[in-house]
Amino acid sequence: MSSPLRLGIAGLGTVGIGVVKIVQKHAGLLAQRSGRPVAITAVSARDRRKNRDADLSAYRWEDDPMALALAEDVDVFVELIGGDAGIAKDSIEAALRSGKDVVTANKALLAMHGQELAELAEGLGRVIRFEAAVAGGIPVIKAMTESLAGNRINRVMGVMNGTCNYILTRMESAGLPYEEVFEEARQLGYLEADPTLDVGGIDASHKLAILSSIAFGTRPAFDAVEIEGIERVSIDDIRRAADMGYRIKLLGVAQMTARGLEQRMSPCLVPADSPLGQLAGGTNMVVVEGDSVGQIVLRGAGAGEGPTASAVMSDVIELARGVRLPVFGVPATSLSDSQPARTAVPAAYYLRMELLDKPGALAKITTVLGDAGISIDRMRQYGHKDGSNVPVLFVTDRTTPEAIDHAIETLPKTGVLASDPVELRIEEV
Ligand code: NAP
Ligand code: HSE
């Protein structure tokens, strides 16, 4: 059998320790599947004395990840520290320059600096793999770069932040408000150290930007994602949406249009009986639509020690087998500008408002919608006590975001709204 593929693992947290455990548990299997043994040479983290739930005594310890990046007895630098800059970026660059391939799970870094890193790697004849960076254990990067390479991708979308999906499904099942479930998620340890990465839609947008690049052959453009998190989703909207046959999901959608690349991350309604609508808890789902294959739905654990380490190991095995692909599927220098476009693809919308209990109030609202060119598909007025505010829901026919924005701006001028109207896009899935 050939010489071992030697790993240097930087970062021994949830994912890093998961990788160590797989290398130890499946040594024989990995060697058989890779055609050569896979060995860990050295590891690095901040605190050497921390109890890490794995025996690391056989590996050289380095306090500085840079030492691993430069080590002569390391073939693959496995970056599992995280962060879109600092030591993660510096050590990856150093590893590439010192002739190593890189495996990482770092979505923030790839979304923000993927182009620069890909050009560096490919210029040096090196490879960066990142299966774990998007949707944890779901093999979506390989599916898109390899299995679906014969398709023009029309649209890619998904639920790619397990914490947000947990919060939204728990709000619905327990009938609890956002703030209470957010606190529950914090206590369960589901939230990132900076929770806005999760609930603000940023983590999921990092993943969407990476998928867009692979799908459309464009430079990763995180800054161009229109992002809205789940903070304004209320239990009222979750209940009302359910009444109309929908569930609310933090959904990322990327599609190439004649005007450019639309990338949006926002709370959307999806049919409750669709695969996305059925997705509960911390699970992720990615839906890819190709011109020949049609719709592919990939579902699985988007985070956690085992699933994420499983994805890291698939990259390691690929490198051990000698598979060497461009970082984003095509040479980095051939990736085009993404031509970001604001969302203009028409969709149906959910509109919820509270009206004053006055004669003609509803007529004023429907006139504004009609004047904006918005046609109503369904409408529901909920029971209320005389003189108290009247909850009203509309599901519109397909219309443009521009028309909805115009209506939302005009509605307060009717003088019959008791509170700001809520609008949510109903994504066709
Ligand atoms: P984590 O549990 O916070 O572990 C981070 C590790 O990096 C720790 O071992 C830490 O050392 C080490 N570290 C931090 N700063 C360092 C420094 N300056 N020098 C050396 N080591 C340093 O993180 P994680 O959850 O495993 O995530 C790792 C990466 O995987 C991130 O990019 C994350 O976004 C990505 N990812 C994670 C998941 C998941 O489910 N957790 C899923 C998909 C992708 P100490 O242990 O000594 O503090
Ligand atoms: N915070 C992320 C999530 C971790 O909840 O999905 C995996 O990227």
Side-chain angles (χ1 to χ4, degrees):
M1 196 173 270
S2 339
S3 58
L5 183 79
R6 300 165 302 175
L7 310 181
I9 301 179
L12 295 169
T14 306
V15 187
I17 287 299
V19 170
V20 169
K21 286 181 184 169
I22 294 181
V23 172
Q24 293 178 347
K25 181 172 66 171
H26 289 320
L29 197 73
L30 295 175
Q32 188 189 29
R33 291 190 179 155
S34 306
R36 58 195 289 202
V38 172
I40 297 170
T41 310
V43 295
S44 174
R46 274 178 303 209
D47 181 357
R48 188 173 189 164
R49 283 161 305 171
K50 207 184 241 183
N51 179 7
R52 296 190 189 270
D53 187 31
D55 180 5
L56 304 173
S57 56
Y59 318 131
R60 187 171 76 252
W61 179 276
E62 299 284 2
D63 286 324
D64 184 359
M66 201 55 98
L68 285 190
L70 301 173
E72 284 188 1
D73 57 357
V74 167
D75 302 311
V76 177
F77 180 68
V78 184
E79 186 277 308
L80 301 170
I81 296 172
D84 63 29
I87 190 65
K89 181 166 184 277
D90 295 348
S91 58
I92 285 179
E93 287 170 350
L96 294 169
R97 289 202 171 93
S98 77
K100 294 169 183 56
D101 295 321
V102 169
V103 172
T104 179
N106 193 333
K107 58 253 176 174
L109 180 65
L110 289 164
M112 310 281 279
H113 302 290
Q115 181 67 27
E116 178 192 336
L117 290 171
E119 284 183 22
L120 176 67
E122 290 168 24
L124 293 164
R126 305 314 328 165
V127 172
I128 304 176
R129 301 311 305 153
F130 53 90
E131 184 62 70
V134 179
I138 301 178
V140 64
I141 304 296
K142 273 187 191 59
M144 286 176 64
T145 48
E146 297 177 39
S147 316
L148 301 176
N151 287 258
R152 189 187 67 230
I153 303 296
N154 297 324
R155 186 168 66 151
V156 57
M157 62 187 163
V159 167
M160 292 177 280
N161 183 277
T163 305
C164 288
N165 204 51
Y166 166 81
I167 291 176
L168 294 173
T169 43
R170 173 91 177 125
M171 281 170 73
E172 181 175 359
S173 62
L176 292 171
Y178 171 80
E179 293 73 19
E180 225 169 287
V181 179
F182 175 89
E183 201 39 51
E184 221 178 71
R186 186 201 290 283
Q187 277 168 21
L188 287 166
Y190 289 176
L191 288 159
E192 301 266 349
D194 172 3
T196 55
L197 290 175
D198 288 315
V199 297
I202 298 164
D203 167 77
S205 298
H206 287 147
K207 297 165 183 167
L208 184 69
I210 294 170
L211 291 188
S212 295
S213 175
I214 297 171
F216 305 111
T218 50
R219 297 177 185 183
F222 167 72
D223 288 347
V225 183
E226 290 175 70
I227 308 177
E228 186 191 337
I230 61 167
E231 298 101 321
R232 77 170 172 121
V233 176
S234 71
I235 183 68
D236 272 355
D237 286 316
I238 287 182
R239 287 194 184 120
R240 306 288 194 221
D243 278 357
M244 294 296 212
Y246 297 105
R247 290 222 163 85
I248 300 180
K249 298 285 166 194
L250 178 68
L251 190 66
V253 182
Q255 64 194 120
M256 189 58 84
T257 70
R259 294 167 313 99
L261 178 61
E262 289 188 8
Q263 299 181 91
R264 58 183 165 275
M265 180 64 60
S266 58
C268 290
L269 272 65
V270 296
D273 59 1
S274 65
L276 280 161
Q278 294 282 308
L279 191 71
T283 312
N284 281 197
M285 183 173 283
V286 182
V287 179
V288 188
E289 293 169 355
D291 61 347
S292 299
V293 75
Q295 193 179 71
I296 297 282
V297 178
L298 300 165
R299 178 186 183 282
E305 180 184 297
T308 314
S310 153
V312 170
M313 287 313 298
S314 77
D315 287 337
V316 168
I317 293 169
E318 188 172 85
L319 290 173
R321 285 171 171 165
V323 178
R324 304 186 70 75
L325 298 174
V327 178
F328 292 103
V330 299
T333 49
S334 75
L335 291 167
S336 61
D337 261 337
S338 64
Q339 291 177 27
R342 279 194 68 76
T343 297
V345 170
Y349 279 80
Y350 158 103
L351 298 173
R352 177 172 68 82
M353 45 200 105
E354 298 264 317
L355 306 187
L356 300 175
D357 195 6
K358 284 193 199 174
L362 196 54
K364 286 188 177 170
I365 298 297
T366 53
T367 300
V368 169
L369 296 180
D371 289 349
I374 298 169
S375 167
I376 296 163
D377 173 44
R378 283 181 287 158
M379 192 227 127
R380 184 170 292 178
Q381 177 170 313
Y382 288 84
H384 61 286
K385 292 195 183 102
D386 273 356
S388 66
N389 298 335
V390 186
V392 178
L393 267 194
F394 298 94
V395 171
T396 73
D397 283 333
R398 287 177 98 237
T399 185
T400 61
E402 202 184 349
I404 289 291
D405 288 348
H406 176 69
I408 294 290
E409 229 175 83
T410 315
L411 282 167
K413 295 177 190 157
T414 57
V416 298
L417 287 185
S419 58
D420 288 341
V422 174
E423 49 85 18
L424 290 165
R425 190 177 167 94
I426 303 178
E427 204 64 58
E428 280 168 25
V429 298

